[in-house]
Coordinates of all heavy atoms in Angstrom, one line a residue:
M1 N 188.8 85.9 114.3 CA 189.0 86.8 113.1 C 190.4 87.4 113.3 O 190.8 87.9 114.4 CB 188.0 87.9 113.1 CG 188.1 88.8 111.9 SD 186.8 90.1 112.0 CE 187.2 90.9 110.5
T2 N 191.2 87.4 112.2 CA 192.6 87.9 112.3 C 192.6 89.1 111.4 O 192.1 89.1 110.2 CB 193.6 86.9 111.8 OG1 193.3 85.6 112.5 CG2 195.0 87.3 112.1
I3 N 193.2 90.2 111.9 CA 193.4 91.4 111.1 C 194.9 91.5 110.8 O 195.7 91.5 111.6 CB 192.9 92.7 111.8 CG1 191.4 92.6 112.0 CG2 193.3 93.9 111.1 CD1 190.8 93.8 112.7
N4 N 195.2 91.6 109.5 CA 196.6 91.8 109.1 C 196.8 93.3 108.8 O 196.1 93.9 107.9 CB 196.9 91.0 107.8 CG 196.8 89.5 108.1 OD1 197.5 89.0 109.0 ND2 196.0 88.8 107.4
W5 N 197.6 93.9 109.5 CA 197.9 95.4 109.3 C 199.4 95.4 109.0 O 200.3 95.3 109.9 CB 197.6 96.1 110.6 CG 197.8 97.6 110.5 CD1 198.8 98.3 111.1 CD2 197.0 98.5 109.9 NE1 198.7 99.6 110.8 CE2 197.6 99.8 110.1 CE3 195.8 98.4 109.2 CZ2 197.0 100.9 109.5 CZ3 195.2 99.6 108.6 CH2 195.9 100.8 108.8
F6 N 199.8 95.6 107.8 CA 201.1 95.5 107.2 C 201.7 94.2 107.7 O 201.2 93.2 107.4 CB 201.9 96.8 107.6 CG 201.3 98.0 107.0 CD1 200.5 98.9 107.7 CD2 201.5 98.3 105.6 CE1 199.9 100.0 107.1 CE2 200.9 99.4 105.0 CZ 200.1 100.2 105.7
D7 N 202.9 94.2 108.4 CA 203.4 93.0 108.8 C 203.1 92.5 110.2 O 203.7 91.6 110.8 CB 205.0 93.0 108.6 CG 205.6 94.2 109.1 OD1 204.9 95.2 109.5 OD2 206.8 94.3 109.0
E8 N 202.1 93.1 110.8 CA 201.6 92.7 112.1 C 200.2 92.0 111.9 O 199.5 92.4 111.0 CB 201.5 93.8 113.1 CG 202.8 94.4 113.5 CD 202.6 95.6 114.4 OE1 202.1 95.4 115.5 OE2 202.9 96.7 114.0
S9 N 199.8 91.1 112.8 CA 198.5 90.6 112.7 C 197.9 90.6 114.1 O 198.6 90.3 115.1 CB 198.4 89.3 112.1 OG 199.0 88.3 112.9
F10 N 196.6 90.9 114.2 CA 195.9 91.0 115.5 C 194.8 90.0 115.5 O 194.2 89.7 114.4 CB 195.3 92.3 115.8 CG 196.3 93.5 115.6 CD1 196.4 94.1 114.4 CD2 197.0 93.9 116.7 CE1 197.3 95.2 114.2 CE2 197.9 95.0 116.6 CZ 198.0 95.6 115.3
K11 N 194.5 89.4 116.6 CA 193.3 88.5 116.8 C 192.2 89.3 117.5 O 192.5 89.8 118.6 CB 193.7 87.2 117.5 CG 194.4 86.2 116.6 CD 193.9 84.8 117.0 CE 194.6 83.8 116.1 NZ 194.2 83.8 114.7
I12 N 191.0 89.4 116.9 CA 189.9 90.0 117.6 C 188.7 89.1 117.5 O 188.6 88.3 116.6 CB 189.6 91.4 117.1 CG1 189.2 91.4 115.6 CG2 190.7 92.4 117.3 CD1 188.5 92.6 115.1
P13 N 187.8 89.2 118.5 CA 186.6 88.4 118.4 C 185.8 88.7 117.1 O 185.7 89.8 116.7 CB 185.7 88.8 119.6 CG 186.7 89.4 120.5 CD 187.8 90.1 119.7
L14 N 185.2 87.7 116.5 CA 184.5 87.8 115.2 C 183.3 88.9 115.3 O 183.2 89.7 114.4 CB 183.9 86.5 114.7 CG 183.2 86.5 113.4 CD1 184.1 86.9 112.3 CD2 182.6 85.1 113.1
G15 N 182.5 88.8 116.4 CA 181.4 89.7 116.6 C 181.9 91.1 116.6 O 181.3 92.0 116.0
F16 N 183.0 91.4 117.3 CA 183.6 92.7 117.4 C 184.0 93.2 116.0 O 183.7 94.4 115.6 CB 184.8 92.7 118.3 CG 185.4 94.1 118.5 CD1 184.7 95.0 119.2 CD2 186.6 94.3 118.0 CE1 185.3 96.3 119.4 CE2 187.2 95.6 118.2 CZ 186.6 96.6 118.9
G17 N 184.6 92.4 115.2 CA 185.0 92.7 113.9 C 183.8 93.1 113.0 O 183.8 94.1 112.2
I18 N 182.7 92.3 113.1 CA 181.5 92.5 112.3 C 180.9 93.9 112.7 O 180.5 94.7 111.9 CB 180.5 91.4 112.5 CG1 181.1 90.1 111.8 CG2 179.1 91.7 111.9 CD1 180.3 88.9 112.1
T19 N 180.8 94.1 114.1 CA 180.3 95.4 114.6 C 181.0 96.6 114.0 O 180.4 97.5 113.5 CB 180.3 95.4 116.1 OG1 179.7 94.2 116.6 CG2 179.5 96.5 116.7
I20 N 182.3 96.5 114.1 CA 183.2 97.6 113.6 C 182.9 97.9 112.1 O 182.8 99.0 111.6 CB 184.7 97.3 113.9 CG1 185.0 97.3 115.4 CG2 185.6 98.3 113.1 CD1 185.0 98.6 116.0
T21 N 182.9 96.8 111.3 CA 182.6 96.9 109.9 C 181.3 97.5 109.6 O 181.2 98.4 108.7 CB 182.7 95.5 109.3 OG1 183.9 94.8 109.7 CG2 182.6 95.6 107.7
I22 N 180.2 97.1 110.3 CA 178.9 97.7 110.1 C 178.9 99.2 110.5 O 178.4 100.0 109.7 CB 177.9 96.9 110.9 CG1 177.7 95.5 110.3 CG2 176.5 97.7 111.0 CD1 176.8 94.6 111.2
I23 N 179.6 99.6 111.6 CA 179.6 101.0 112.0 C 180.3 101.8 110.9 O 179.9 102.9 110.5 CB 180.3 101.1 113.4 CG1 179.4 100.5 114.5 CG2 180.7 102.6 113.6 CD1 180.1 100.5 115.8
I24 N 181.5 101.3 110.4 CA 182.2 102.0 109.4 C 181.3 102.2 108.1 O 181.3 103.3 107.5 CB 183.5 101.3 109.0 CG1 184.5 101.5 110.2 CG2 184.2 101.9 107.8 CD1 185.8 100.7 110.1
L25 N 180.6 101.1 107.7 CA 179.8 101.2 106.5 C 178.6 102.2 106.7 O 178.3 103.0 105.8 CB 179.2 99.8 106.2 CG 180.2 98.8 105.5 CD1 179.5 97.5 105.3 CD2 180.7 99.4 104.2
L26 N 178.0 102.2 107.9 CA 176.9 103.1 108.2 C 177.4 104.6 108.1 O 176.8 105.4 107.6 CB 176.3 102.8 109.6 CG 175.3 101.7 109.6 CD1 174.8 101.5 111.0 CD2 174.2 101.9 108.7
L27 N 178.6 104.8 108.7 CA 179.2 106.2 108.7 C 179.5 106.6 107.3 O 179.2 107.7 106.9 CB 180.5 106.2 109.5 CG 180.3 106.2 111.1 CD1 181.7 106.2 111.7 CD2 179.5 107.5 111.5
A28 N 180.0 105.7 106.5 CA 180.3 106.0 105.1 C 179.0 106.4 104.3 O 179.1 107.1 103.3 CB 181.0 104.8 104.4
I29 N 177.9 105.8 104.7 CA 176.6 106.2 104.0 C 176.0 107.4 104.6 O 175.5 108.3 103.9 CB 175.7 104.9 104.1 CG1 176.3 103.8 103.4 CG2 174.3 105.3 103.6 CD1 175.6 102.4 103.7
I30 N 176.0 107.5 106.0 CA 175.2 108.5 106.7 C 175.9 109.9 106.6 O 175.2 110.9 106.3 CB 174.9 108.1 108.1 CG1 173.9 107.0 108.2 CG2 174.4 109.3 109.0 CD1 173.8 106.3 109.5
V31 N 177.2 109.9 106.8 CA 177.9 111.2 106.8 C 177.7 112.0 105.5 O 177.4 113.2 105.6 CB 179.4 111.0 107.2 CG1 180.2 112.3 107.0 CG2 179.5 110.6 108.6
P32 N 177.9 111.4 104.3 CA 177.7 112.2 103.1 C 176.2 112.7 103.0 O 176.0 113.8 102.5 CB 178.0 111.2 102.0 CG 178.8 110.2 102.6 CD 178.4 110.1 104.0
I33 N 175.3 111.9 103.5 CA 173.9 112.3 103.4 C 173.7 113.6 104.3 O 173.0 114.5 103.9 CB 172.9 111.2 103.8 CG1 173.0 110.1 102.8 CG2 171.5 111.7 104.0 CD1 172.2 108.8 103.2
I34 N 174.2 113.5 105.5 CA 174.1 114.7 106.4 C 174.8 115.9 105.8 O 174.2 117.0 105.8 CB 174.6 114.3 107.8 CG1 173.8 113.2 108.5 CG2 174.7 115.5 108.7 CD1 174.3 112.7 109.7
V35 N 176.0 115.7 105.3 CA 176.7 116.9 104.8 C 175.9 117.5 103.6 O 175.8 118.7 103.5 CB 178.1 116.4 104.3 CG1 178.8 117.5 103.5 CG2 179.0 116.1 105.5
T36 N 175.4 116.6 102.7 CA 174.6 117.1 101.6 C 173.4 117.8 102.0 O 173.1 118.9 101.5 CB 174.2 115.9 100.7 OG1 175.3 115.1 100.4 CG2 173.6 116.4 99.4
A37 N 172.7 117.2 103.0 CA 171.5 117.9 103.5 C 171.8 119.2 104.1 O 171.1 120.2 103.8 CB 170.8 117.0 104.6
L38 N 172.8 119.4 104.9 CA 173.2 120.6 105.5 C 173.6 121.7 104.5 O 173.2 122.8 104.6 CB 174.3 120.4 106.5 CG 173.9 119.7 107.8 CD1 175.1 119.5 108.7 CD2 172.8 120.4 108.5
T39 N 174.4 121.3 103.5 CA 174.9 122.2 102.5 C 173.8 122.6 101.5 O 173.7 123.8 101.1 CB 176.1 121.7 101.8 OG1 175.8 120.4 101.2 CG2 177.3 121.6 102.7
S40 N 173.0 121.6 101.1 CA 172.0 121.9 100.0 C 170.8 122.6 100.6 O 170.1 123.2 99.8 CB 171.6 120.7 99.3 OG 171.0 119.8 100.2
A41 N 170.6 122.6 101.9 CA 169.4 123.3 102.4 C 169.5 124.8 102.2 O 168.4 125.4 102.2 CB 169.3 122.9 103.9
K42 N 170.7 125.3 102.0 CA 170.8 126.7 101.9 C 170.8 127.2 100.4 O 170.8 128.4 100.2 CB 172.2 127.2 102.5 CG 172.2 127.0 104.0 CD 173.6 127.2 104.6 CE 173.6 126.9 106.1 NZ 175.0 126.6 106.5
I43 N 170.9 126.2 99.5 CA 171.0 126.6 98.1 C 169.6 127.0 97.5 O 168.6 126.3 97.7 CB 171.6 125.5 97.3 CG1 173.0 125.2 97.7 CG2 171.6 125.8 95.8 CD1 173.6 124.0 97.1
V44 N 169.5 128.1 96.9 CA 168.3 128.6 96.2 C 168.4 128.2 94.7 O 169.4 128.4 94.0 CB 168.2 130.1 96.3 CG1 166.9 130.6 95.6 CG2 168.2 130.6 97.7
W45 N 167.3 127.4 94.3 CA 167.3 126.9 92.9 C 166.3 127.8 92.1 O 165.4 128.3 92.6 CB 166.9 125.5 92.9 CG 167.8 124.6 93.7 CD1 167.6 124.3 95.0 CD2 169.0 124.0 93.3 NE1 168.7 123.5 95.4 CE2 169.5 123.3 94.4 CE3 169.7 124.0 92.1 CZ2 170.7 122.6 94.3 CZ3 170.8 123.3 92.0 CH2 171.4 122.6 93.1
G46 N 166.5 127.8 90.8 CA 165.6 128.5 89.9 C 165.0 127.5 88.9 O 165.7 126.6 88.4
C47 N 163.7 127.7 88.6 CA 163.0 126.9 87.7 C 163.1 127.6 86.3 O 162.8 128.8 86.1 CB 161.5 126.8 88.1 SG 160.5 126.0 86.8
P48 N 163.6 126.9 85.3 CA 163.8 127.5 83.9 C 162.4 127.7 83.2 O 162.3 128.5 82.3 CB 164.6 126.4 83.2 CG 164.4 125.2 83.9 CD 164.1 125.5 85.3
E49 N 161.3 127.0 83.7 CA 160.0 127.1 83.0 C 159.3 128.4 83.5 O 158.8 129.2 82.7 CB 159.2 125.9 83.4 CG 159.7 124.6 82.7 CD 159.4 124.5 81.2 OE1 158.4 125.1 80.8 OE2 160.2 124.0 80.5
C50 N 159.2 128.6 84.8 CA 158.4 129.7 85.3 C 159.3 130.8 86.0 O 158.8 131.9 86.3 CB 157.3 129.2 86.3 SG 158.0 128.4 87.7
G51 N 160.6 130.5 86.2 CA 161.5 131.5 86.7 C 161.3 131.7 88.2 O 161.9 132.7 88.8
K52 N 160.5 130.9 88.9 CA 160.4 131.1 90.4 C 161.6 130.5 91.1 O 162.3 129.7 90.6 CB 159.2 130.3 90.9 CG 157.9 130.8 90.3 CD 157.4 132.0 91.0 CE 156.0 132.4 90.5 NZ 155.5 133.6 91.1
R53 N 161.9 131.1 92.3 CA 163.0 130.6 93.1 C 162.5 129.8 94.3 O 161.5 130.2 94.9 CB 163.8 131.9 93.6 CG 164.3 132.7 92.5 CD 164.4 134.2 92.9 NE 164.9 134.4 94.2 CZ 166.2 134.2 94.6 NH1 167.1 133.9 93.7 NH2 166.6 134.4 95.8
F54 N 163.2 128.7 94.6 CA 162.7 127.9 95.7 C 163.9 127.1 96.2 O 165.0 127.0 95.6 CB 161.7 126.9 95.2 CG 162.0 126.0 94.0 CD1 162.6 124.8 94.2 CD2 161.8 126.5 92.7 CE1 163.0 124.0 93.1 CE2 162.2 125.7 91.6 CZ 162.8 124.5 91.8
K55 N 163.7 126.5 97.4 CA 164.7 125.6 98.0 C 164.1 124.2 98.0 O 162.9 124.0 98.1 CB 165.0 126.0 99.5 CG 165.8 127.3 99.6 CD 166.0 127.7 101.0 CE 166.9 129.0 101.0 NZ 167.1 129.5 102.4
L56 N 165.0 123.2 97.8 CA 164.5 121.9 97.8 C 164.7 121.3 99.2 O 165.6 121.6 100.0 CB 165.4 121.0 96.9 CG 165.2 121.3 95.4 CD1 166.2 120.5 94.6 CD2 163.8 120.9 95.0
K57 N 163.7 120.4 99.6 CA 163.8 119.7 100.8 C 165.0 118.8 100.8 O 165.3 118.2 99.8 CB 162.5 118.9 101.1 CG 161.3 119.8 101.3 CD 161.2 120.3 102.7 CE 159.9 121.0 103.0 NZ 159.8 122.3 102.4
W58 N 165.5 118.5 102.0 CA 166.8 117.7 102.1 C 166.5 116.3 101.5 O 167.4 115.7 100.9 CB 167.3 117.7 103.5 CG 166.4 116.9 104.4 CD1 165.4 117.5 105.2 CD2 166.4 115.5 104.7 NE1 164.8 116.5 105.9 CE2 165.4 115.3 105.6 CE3 167.2 114.5 104.3 CZ2 165.2 114.0 106.1 CZ3 167.0 113.2 104.7 CH2 166.0 113.0 105.7
Y59 N 165.3 115.8 101.7 CA 165.1 114.4 101.3 C 164.9 114.3 99.7 O 165.1 113.3 99.1 CB 163.9 113.8 102.0 CG 162.6 114.6 101.9 CD1 161.8 114.5 100.8 CD2 162.2 115.4 103.0 CE1 160.6 115.2 100.8 CE2 161.1 116.1 102.9 CZ 160.3 116.0 101.8 OH 159.1 116.8 101.8
K60 N 164.6 115.5 99.1 CA 164.5 115.5 97.7 C 166.0 115.6 97.1 O 166.3 115.0 96.1 CB 163.7 116.7 97.2 CG 162.2 116.5 97.4 CD 161.4 117.6 96.8 CE 159.9 117.3 97.1 NZ 159.1 118.5 96.7
R61 N 166.8 116.3 97.8 CA 168.2 116.4 97.4 C 168.9 115.1 97.6 O 169.8 114.7 96.9 CB 168.9 117.5 98.2 CG 168.9 118.8 97.6 CD 169.6 118.9 96.3 NE 171.1 119.0 96.5 CZ 171.9 118.5 95.6 NH1 171.5 118.1 94.5 NH2 173.2 118.6 95.8
F62 N 168.5 114.3 98.6 CA 169.1 113.0 99.0 C 169.2 112.1 97.8 O 170.2 111.5 97.5 CB 168.3 112.4 100.1 CG 168.6 110.9 100.3 CD1 169.9 110.6 100.9 CD2 167.8 110.0 99.9 CE1 170.2 109.2 101.0 CE2 168.1 108.6 100.1 CZ 169.3 108.3 100.7
W63 N 168.1 112.0 97.0 CA 168.0 111.1 95.9 C 168.9 111.5 94.7 O 169.2 110.7 93.8 CB 166.6 110.9 95.4 CG 165.8 110.3 96.5 CD1 164.8 110.9 97.2 CD2 165.9 109.0 97.0 NE1 164.3 110.0 98.1 CE2 164.9 108.9 98.0 CE3 166.7 107.9 96.7 CZ2 164.8 107.7 98.8 CZ3 166.6 106.7 97.5 CH2 165.6 106.6 98.5
I64 N 169.2 112.8 94.7 CA 170.0 113.3 93.6 C 171.4 113.7 94.1 O 172.1 114.5 93.5 CB 169.3 114.4 92.8 CG1 168.7 115.4 93.8 CG2 168.3 113.9 91.9 CD1 167.8 116.4 93.3
H65 N 171.8 113.0 95.2 CA 173.0 113.3 95.8 C 174.2 113.2 94.9 O 175.1 114.0 95.0 CB 173.2 112.3 97.0 CG 174.5 112.2 97.7 ND1 174.9 113.4 98.3 CD2 175.4 111.3 97.8 CE1 176.1 113.1 98.8 NE2 176.4 111.8 98.5
Y66 N 174.2 112.3 94.0 CA 175.4 112.0 93.2 C 175.4 112.9 91.9 O 176.4 112.7 91.1 CB 175.6 110.5 92.9 CG 175.9 109.8 94.1 CD1 174.9 109.0 94.7 CD2 177.1 109.9 94.7 CE1 175.1 108.3 95.9 CE2 177.4 109.2 95.9 CZ 176.4 108.4 96.5 OH 176.6 107.8 97.7
S67 N 174.4 113.6 91.7 CA 174.4 114.4 90.5 C 175.2 115.7 90.7 O 175.6 116.0 91.8 CB 173.0 114.7 90.0 OG 172.4 115.5 91.0
D68 N 175.4 116.4 89.6 CA 176.2 117.7 89.6 C 175.5 118.6 90.6 O 174.3 118.8 90.6 CB 176.2 118.2 88.2 CG 177.1 119.5 88.1 OD1 177.6 119.9 89.2 OD2 177.2 120.0 87.0
N69 N 176.3 119.3 91.4 CA 175.7 120.1 92.5 C 175.1 121.4 91.9 O 174.3 122.1 92.5 CB 176.8 120.5 93.5 CG 176.2 120.9 94.8 OD1 175.3 120.3 95.3 ND2 176.8 122.0 95.4
A70 N 175.5 121.8 90.7 CA 175.1 123.1 90.1 C 173.8 122.9 89.3 O 173.0 123.9 89.2 CB 176.1 123.7 89.2
V71 N 173.5 121.7 88.9 CA 172.3 121.4 88.0 C 171.6 120.2 88.6 O 172.2 119.2 88.8 CB 172.7 121.2 86.6 CG1 171.5 120.9 85.8 CG2 173.4 122.4 86.0
V72 N 170.3 120.3 88.9 CA 169.6 119.3 89.6 C 168.2 119.0 89.0 O 167.5 120.0 88.8 CB 169.5 119.7 91.1 CG1 168.3 119.0 91.7 CG2 170.7 119.3 91.8
P73 N 167.9 117.7 88.7 CA 166.6 117.5 88.2 C 165.6 117.4 89.3 O 165.9 116.8 90.4 CB 166.7 116.1 87.5 CG 167.9 115.5 88.2 CD 168.8 116.6 88.7
A74 N 164.5 118.1 89.3 CA 163.5 118.1 90.3 C 162.2 118.6 89.8 O 162.1 119.0 88.6 CB 163.9 119.1 91.4
T75 N 161.1 118.4 90.6 CA 159.8 118.9 90.2 C 159.6 120.3 90.8 O 159.7 120.5 92.0 CB 158.7 117.9 90.7 OG1 159.0 116.6 90.3 CG2 157.4 118.3 90.2
C76 N 159.3 121.2 90.0 CA 159.1 122.6 90.5 C 157.9 122.7 91.3 O 156.8 122.2 90.9 CB 159.0 123.5 89.3 SG 158.6 125.2 89.7
P77 N 158.0 123.2 92.6 CA 156.8 123.3 93.4 C 155.8 124.4 92.9 O 154.7 124.4 93.5 CB 157.4 123.8 94.8 CG 158.7 124.4 94.4 CD 159.2 123.7 93.2
F78 N 156.1 125.2 92.0 CA 155.2 126.2 91.5 C 154.4 125.7 90.3 O 153.2 125.8 90.2 CB 156.0 127.5 91.2 CG 156.5 128.2 92.4 CD1 157.9 127.9 92.8 CD2 155.8 129.0 93.2 CE1 158.4 128.5 93.9 CE2 156.3 129.6 94.3 CZ 157.6 129.3 94.7
C79 N 155.1 125.3 89.2 CA 154.4 124.9 88.0 C 154.3 123.3 87.9 O 153.7 122.8 87.0 CB 155.1 125.4 86.8 SG 156.9 124.9 86.6
H80 N 154.9 122.6 88.9 CA 154.8 121.1 89.0 C 155.3 120.4 87.7 O 154.8 119.4 87.4 CB 153.3 120.7 89.3 CG 152.8 121.4 90.6 ND1 153.3 121.0 91.8 CD2 152.0 122.4 90.8 CE1 152.7 121.8 92.7 NE2 151.9 122.6 92.1
K81 N 156.2 121.0 87.0 CA 156.8 120.3 85.9 C 158.2 119.7 86.3 O 158.8 120.3 87.2 CB 157.1 121.3 84.8 CG 155.8 121.7 84.0 CD 156.1 122.8 83.0 CE 154.9 123.3 82.4 NZ 155.1 124.6 81.7
K82 N 158.5 118.6 85.7 CA 159.8 118.1 85.9 C 160.8 118.9 85.1 O 160.8 118.9 83.9 CB 159.9 116.6 85.5 CG 159.4 115.6 86.6 CD 160.0 114.3 86.3 CE 159.4 113.2 87.1 NZ 159.1 113.2 88.5
V83 N 161.7 119.6 85.9 CA 162.6 120.5 85.2 C 164.1 120.2 85.7 O 164.3 119.5 86.7 CB 162.3 121.9 85.5 CG1 161.0 122.3 84.7 CG2 162.2 122.2 87.0
V84 N 165.0 120.7 85.0 CA 166.4 120.7 85.5 C 166.7 122.0 86.0 O 166.8 123.0 85.3 CB 167.4 120.3 84.3 CG1 168.8 120.4 84.8 CG2 167.0 119.0 83.8
C85 N 166.7 122.1 87.4 CA 166.9 123.4 88.0 C 168.4 123.8 88.0 O 169.3 122.9 88.0 CB 166.5 123.3 89.5 SG 164.9 122.7 89.7
T86 N 168.6 125.0 88.0 CA 170.0 125.6 88.1 C 170.0 126.4 89.4 O 169.0 126.9 89.9 CB 170.4 126.4 86.9 OG1 169.3 127.4 86.7 CG2 170.5 125.6 85.7
Q87 N 171.2 126.6 89.9 CA 171.4 127.4 91.1 C 171.1 128.8 90.8 O 171.5 129.3 89.7 CB 172.8 127.3 91.7 CG 173.0 126.0 92.5 CD 174.3 126.0 93.2 OE1 174.8 127.1 93.7 NE2 174.9 124.9 93.4
S88 N 170.3 129.5 91.6 CA 170.0 130.9 91.3 C 171.2 131.7 91.5 O 172.1 131.5 92.4 CB 168.9 131.3 92.3 OG 168.7 132.7 92.1
F89 N 171.4 132.7 90.7 CA 172.5 133.6 90.8 C 172.5 134.4 92.1 O 173.5 134.7 92.7 CB 172.6 134.6 89.6 CG 173.0 133.9 88.3 CD1 172.1 133.8 87.3 CD2 174.3 133.4 88.2 CE1 172.5 133.1 86.1 CE2 174.7 132.7 87.0 CZ 173.8 132.6 86.0
N90 N 171.3 134.8 92.5 CA 171.2 135.5 93.7 C 170.8 134.6 94.8 O 169.7 134.2 95.0 CB 170.1 136.6 93.5 CG 170.0 137.5 94.7 OD1 170.7 137.3 95.7 ND2 169.3 138.6 94.6
Q91 N 171.8 134.2 95.7 CA 171.6 133.3 96.7 C 171.1 134.0 98.0 O 170.9 133.3 99.0 CB 172.9 132.5 97.0 CG 173.3 131.5 95.9 CD 172.4 130.3 95.8 OE1 171.9 129.8 96.8 NE2 172.0 129.9 94.6
H92 N 171.1 135.3 98.1 CA 170.9 136.0 99.3 C 169.6 136.6 99.5 O 169.2 137.0 100.6 CB 172.0 137.0 99.5 CG 173.4 136.4 99.5 ND1 173.9 135.6 100.5 CD2 174.4 136.5 98.5 CE1 175.1 135.2 100.2 NE2 175.4 135.7 99.0
S93 N 168.8 136.7 98.5 CA 167.4 137.3 98.7 C 166.4 136.2 98.9 O 166.7 135.0 98.8 CB 167.0 138.2 97.5 OG 167.0 137.4 96.3
E94 N 165.2 136.6 99.3 CA 164.2 135.6 99.7 C 163.7 134.7 98.5 O 163.8 135.1 97.4 CB 162.9 136.4 100.2 CG 163.1 137.0 101.6 CD 162.9 135.9 102.6 OE1 161.8 135.3 102.7 OE2 163.8 135.6 103.3
C95 N 163.2 133.5 98.9 CA 162.6 132.6 97.9 C 161.2 133.1 97.6 O 160.6 133.8 98.3 CB 162.6 131.2 98.4 SG 164.1 130.4 98.5
D96 N 160.7 132.7 96.4 CA 159.3 132.9 96.1 C 158.4 132.1 97.0 O 158.8 130.9 97.3 CB 159.0 132.6 94.7 CG 159.7 133.7 93.8 OD1 159.5 134.9 94.0 OD2 160.4 133.3 92.8
R97 N 157.3 132.6 97.5 CA 156.4 131.9 98.3 C 155.3 131.1 97.5 O 154.9 131.6 96.5 CB 155.7 132.8 99.3 CG 156.6 133.6 100.2 CD 156.5 133.1 101.6 NE 157.5 133.8 102.5 CZ 158.6 133.3 102.9 NH1 158.9 132.0 102.6 NH2 159.4 133.9 103.7
L98 N 154.9 130.0 98.0 CA 153.9 129.2 97.3 C 152.5 129.9 97.4 O 152.2 130.4 98.4 CB 153.8 127.8 97.8 CG 154.7 126.8 97.2 CD1 154.6 125.4 98.0 CD2 154.4 126.5 95.8
Ligands
ZN101 ZN1 158.4 126.2 87.6

């Protein structure tokens, strides 16, 4: 396998090249998921139907990773309706308990 880097070219073993490519692809997928999980775990969401405040599990946020960070479609854990949640204005007080 030959790598062309501007006007230089390197020869590396094919298996090494495939391994590096796979590692870069995995990092490109995993790192945004981890960053989203860590940042969104702290966000308090509000249900427009019942007005309860809750946090979403990181794996629920994972599927809506690419949507707008301020508005998120989810199922409310209190009224179990599919709603479009908005970030709560008060991020510092306790969530409502189930
Ligand atoms: Zn609700």
Side-chain angles (χ1 to χ4, degrees):
M1 183 181 182
T2 311
I3 293 179
N4 294 305
W5 182 257
F6 296 100
D7 42 355
E8 290 176 67
S9 73
F10 307 91
K11 281 216 178 294
I12 58 165
L14 182 62
F16 182 69
I18 291 171
T19 310
I20 293 287
T21 308
I22 289 172
I23 288 172
I24 290 172
L25 283 177
L26 281 179
L27 282 179
I29 296 166
I30 289 169
V31 168
I33 291 174
I34 292 171
V35 169
T36 311
L38 289 178
T39 52
S40 64
K42 293 172 186 161
I43 296 174
V44 181
W45 302 92
C47 171
E49 292 284 327
C50 61
K52 298 278 189 187
R53 297 150 45 74
F54 55 90
K55 287 179 180 175
L56 289 173
K57 294 276 187 288
W58 67 269
Y59 53 84
K60 289 185 179 170
R61 272 293 285 154
F62 165 73
W63 297 110
I64 41 188
H65 172 60
Y66 293 105
S67 64
D68 186 355
N69 202 42
V71 178
V72 153
T75 306
C76 172
F78 294 95
C79 58
H80 304 288
K81 287 177 186 160
K82 274 203 188 320
V83 290
V84 177
C85 304
T86 50
Q87 282 191 31
S88 176
F89 286 113
N90 188 351
Q91 291 287 323
H92 301 290
S93 63
E94 282 284 295
C95 290
D96 291 308
R97 300 249 176 255
L98 272 174

